[in-house]
Amino acid sequence: MACVNMLLDKCHCASRYGRNAILYNILSQQAVVKPHSQFSHHSCTCQIKRTVCLKTPHITCPTVIEVLVKTVSFMQNLPSFHHLPKEDQLLLLGSCWAPLFLLGLAQEGVNFEVVEIPVQSLLKRLLLNGKELPGVVGAESTQPSIADVQRIKLCLNKFWDLDLTPKEFAYLKGAVLFSADLPGLQATLYVQSLQREAQRVLHEVLVPLQPKDTSRLAPILLTVSALRTISAGVVTELFFRPVIGSTEINQLLIQMFYTKQ
């Protein structure tokens, strides 16, 4: 993560706004960094305008594609998911794949580095009136920023600190997938029951492993909530755009899910 540190070190906003900036305090209080990670806690408002891309996509992309395949396979192997109307399957697939994928990154211990996109490239996009440059697709608002990457890494580091077992990850993914509060669901009550069941079993799995600490479920669910704040657009642009080009990620997910059945 040295490259991210160098990007953050360039910024002098902290000296102008002070260490009491809201974003700095929130990120600093929540950050739990593993020994193998040197990701900086420093954050500032100018990060929103500083976009980044993968430093070594030729190394990272094959790994994240494997994680995406495992994410889709997880959904394919759930009989309860196939009992849902197809419309609900598509809705859950399109809405929940990103946090499930990020959980997969945490489970597989995937690390990655980013580099800042030169300002000149962004200016070219503006001069072209929004026309896409080779290898650059998507709206400006979804282009990953340093702040986006920091949120992702903070969540990953938190899960690595929690040291979840494969069984815990499985039930946690079930609780994430069956989101009963998702607008447009037809089988809302059924999805709600599946979500409650996944959360119940997850709690039962956690308690025997940590008999002296029955509150472990709370930080896990809080970290999942933080994952949900990371947009699917950011995840797509950062991890998959170098591979899928102009293909819509939802089209790819649908093809992956229904082709193998």
Side-chain angles (χ1 to χ4, degrees):
M1 265 46 71
C3 61
V4 179
N5 281 338
M6 288 189 291
L7 294 180
L8 294 175
D9 289 341
K10 292 179 183 178
C11 176
H12 302 288
C13 289
S15 61
R16 298 199 304 269
Y17 296 104
R19 291 176 60 88
N20 292 324
I22 295 176
L23 182 58
Y24 177 89
N25 287 337
I26 292 175
L27 293 175
S28 296
Q29 291 169 7
Q30 293 182 347
V32 181
V33 182
K34 298 284 284 185
H36 62 268
S37 173
Q38 299 299 319
F39 194 71
S40 173
H41 296 177
H42 179 179
S43 181
C44 66
T45 56
C46 76
Q47 289 182 20
I48 298 175
K49 299 180 180 180
R50 300 170 64 193
T51 56
V52 297
C53 61
L54 292 175
K55 181 180 180 181
T56 55
H58 60 289
I59 297 175
T60 305
C61 287
T63 302
V64 298
I65 288 294
E66 289 182 8
V67 174
L68 184 63
V69 170
K70 290 181 180 180
T71 300
V72 175
S73 296
F74 168 78
M75 289 182 271
Q76 288 177 320
N77 294 327
L78 289 176
S80 53
F81 190 80
H82 293 287
H83 292 160
L84 291 167
K86 186 174 182 179
E87 293 78 9
D88 284 0
Q89 293 179 17
L90 293 174
L91 187 58
L92 290 170
L93 177 64
S95 301
C96 301
W97 76 267
L100 289 175
F101 166 76
L102 293 172
L103 280 173
L105 291 185
Q107 184 175 10
E108 299 295 329
V110 177
N111 221 328
F112 62 94
E113 295 183 359
V114 297
V115 291
E116 187 172 357
I117 297 176
V119 176
Q120 183 180 9
S121 297
L122 300 178
L123 290 176
K124 285 182 179 179
R125 293 175 65 182
L126 293 176
L127 293 174
L128 289 172
N129 295 322
K131 295 181 180 179
E132 296 166 359
L133 291 175
V136 179
V137 182
E140 178 73 21
S141 59
T142 61
Q143 190 65 38
S145 68
I146 298 176
D148 292 325
V149 173
Q150 187 172 42
R151 282 193 292 271
I152 292 173
K153 285 185 174 289
L154 288 175
C155 289
L156 293 180
N157 284 322
K158 182 62 177 179
F159 278 120
W160 290 333
D161 258 13
L162 290 167
D163 196 22
L164 274 66
T165 66
K167 184 180 291 188
E168 290 172 340
F169 268 115
Y171 288 120
L172 184 56
K173 289 176 182 178
V176 170
L177 174 60
F178 298 114
S179 300
D181 57 347
L182 192 62
L185 285 175
Q186 297 181 15
T188 304
L189 294 179
Y190 180 56
V191 175
Q192 193 174 53
S193 66
L194 293 173
Q195 186 180 43
R196 284 198 301 264
E197 179 65 14
Q199 291 176 345
R200 182 188 65 79
V201 177
L202 177 63
H203 184 269
E204 291 179 355
V205 170
L206 288 170
V207 172
L209 293 177
Q210 301 288 338
K212 296 182 179 180
D213 182 12
T214 59
S215 63
R216 190 162 175 253
L217 182 62
I220 292 176
L221 295 181
L222 284 174
T223 308
V224 169
S225 296
L227 283 184
R228 291 183 180 277
T229 67
I230 301 168
S231 76
V234 166
V235 175
T236 301
E237 296 300 320
L238 180 61
F239 295 109
F240 301 109
R241 191 58 67 196
V243 176
I244 68 175
S246 60
T247 303
E248 291 291 335
I249 188 67
N250 282 347
Q251 294 178 359
L252 177 63
L253 291 168
I254 292 171
Q255 184 178 11
M256 291 172 63
F257 184 84
Y258 289 104
T259 298
K260 295 184 179 181
Q261 288 189 359

